[in-house]
Amino acid sequence: MSETPTHKRVLLKISGEALMGQRDYGLDNATVRAIAEDVRDVVALGVEVCLVIGGGNIFRGIAGAASGMDRAQADYMGMLATVMNALGVQSALEKQGVATRVQSAISMSSICEPYIRRRAMRHMEKGRVVIFAAGTGNPFFTTDTAAALRAAEMGCDALLKGTQVDGIYSADPRKNADAKRYQELTYLEVLARDLQVMDAAAISVARENKLPIIVFSIHEPGAFKEVMLGHGRFTTVRDE
Ligand code: UDP
């Protein structure tokens, strides 16, 4: 089978929960290592990769607000959680010999670079994996939206979302045996059927920028590389 990647530059969004493994909080080392190995293998194909990592394994603003906190304040805590995850993934990638930079939307100059678009572009051209931390830097947004935004800013050919299952289904396949997996969907179909792939703001940014969204399983070893070679199982969201 062909070893020529189908994309030149991509952004991979990984949710915080994907880093937890079997734990119910925080990061699981073996899981983070496995994801880092998959990213390493895609970088080795010559694909330029950037990452956005969520924070749901540590803190979600909405949960803080539900327990009585000010929502914006809780969201800032959520954004800080994404910085912790970004540093954890950076460390795992560097152990695999992958050159990385973390850029945060909230300035934290002692531990990472501030987000500077042109600088991020330059890192990517040099083959470094750029990890975008702190989401969009604004409360009331999600890291899905941050992923769509950064993918558009970086001129990525595709926005990849690594999830628990190998694509978008008509219902949760872990709960419903009749759930059907889609091969392709349009942005409007995802919104109209409320398919819960990414939030509506993220889908809108992708749609406006004609950025295909590719949904695949982050937990299947080697799946990221397979998707980049055009094989494997995934769902693509784009306009017809
Ligand atoms: N967050 C935010 N603005 C952003 C991105 C994230 O306020 O641009 C906060 C928000 O509180 C969110 C938390 O960071 O709950 C963690 O991000 P998210 O829920 O998107 O993580 P994931 O579900 O992907 O793990």
Side-chain angles (χ1 to χ4, degrees):
M1 274 195 257
S2 151
E3 281 287 300
T4 312
T6 49
H7 294 79
K8 190 173 176 325
R9 178 180 288 181
V10 296
L11 185 145
L12 171 63
K13 158 74 208 285
I14 307 167
S15 72
E17 278 171 8
L19 307 179
M20 288 195 308
Q22 297 306 311
R23 301 160 65 130
D24 48 16
Y25 180 83
L27 292 97
D28 173 60
N29 277 337
T31 307
V32 177
R33 192 188 322 120
I35 292 173
E37 286 169 0
D38 281 0
V39 172
R40 174 200 65 196
D41 292 348
V42 169
V43 171
L45 289 175
V47 180
E48 293 175 11
V49 180
C50 52
L51 304 174
V52 165
I53 304 170
N57 56 325
I58 300 174
F59 193 83
R60 263 184 222 283
I62 216 146
S67 59
M69 277 188 76
D70 175 69
R71 171 70 194 266
Q73 181 86 336
D75 277 341
Y76 281 111
M77 289 175 67
M79 287 185 260
L80 293 179
T82 73
V83 179
M84 291 174 65
N85 283 337
L87 295 180
V89 171
Q90 174 174 46
S91 168
L93 281 169
E94 299 233 316
K95 280 221 161 106
Q96 298 298 325
V98 180
T100 64
R101 293 290 187 275
V102 174
Q103 287 204 347
S104 172
I106 295 174
S107 216
M108 249 176 271
S109 57
S110 320
I111 51 173
C112 58
E113 295 181 2
Y115 173 62
I116 299 171
R117 178 177 160 268
R118 292 173 66 106
R119 194 161 172 185
M121 292 275 226
R122 189 80 190 105
H123 288 319
M124 293 191 71
E125 285 161 10
K126 288 184 177 167
R128 296 173 185 145
V129 171
V130 183
I131 308 170
F132 297 112
T136 64
N138 301 291
F140 307 106
F141 284 91
T142 65
T143 51
D144 278 357
T145 306
L149 182 66
R150 295 288 185 250
E153 288 184 90
M154 291 298 122
C156 290
D157 320 314
L159 164 56
L160 279 91
K161 171 132 180 179
T163 63
Q164 317 294 326
V165 290
D166 57 0
I168 306 175
Y169 283 77
S170 54
D172 186 342
R174 291 169 301 180
K175 293 180 190 151
N176 188 335
D178 297 329
K180 167 175 163 267
R181 192 174 68 91
Y182 299 106
Q183 195 67 37
E184 285 222 1
L185 285 163
T186 65
Y187 303 104
L188 290 180
E189 282 169 340
V190 170
L191 292 173
R193 296 182 204 170
D194 197 18
L195 288 170
Q196 315 283 333
V197 189
M198 289 191 143
D199 56 71
I203 304 276
S204 294
V205 173
R207 178 170 179 237
E208 275 160 31
N209 293 285
K210 300 191 178 356
L211 187 65
I213 304 172
I214 301 176
V215 182
F216 72 102
S217 167
I218 192 76
H219 294 306
E220 218 173 284
F224 183 23
K225 180 175 174 183
E226 286 293 299
V227 171
M228 286 294 96
L229 293 174
H231 334 131
R233 288 165 70 82
F234 53 87
T235 300
T236 308
V237 182
R238 61 158 77 113
D239 274 332
E240 289 123 285

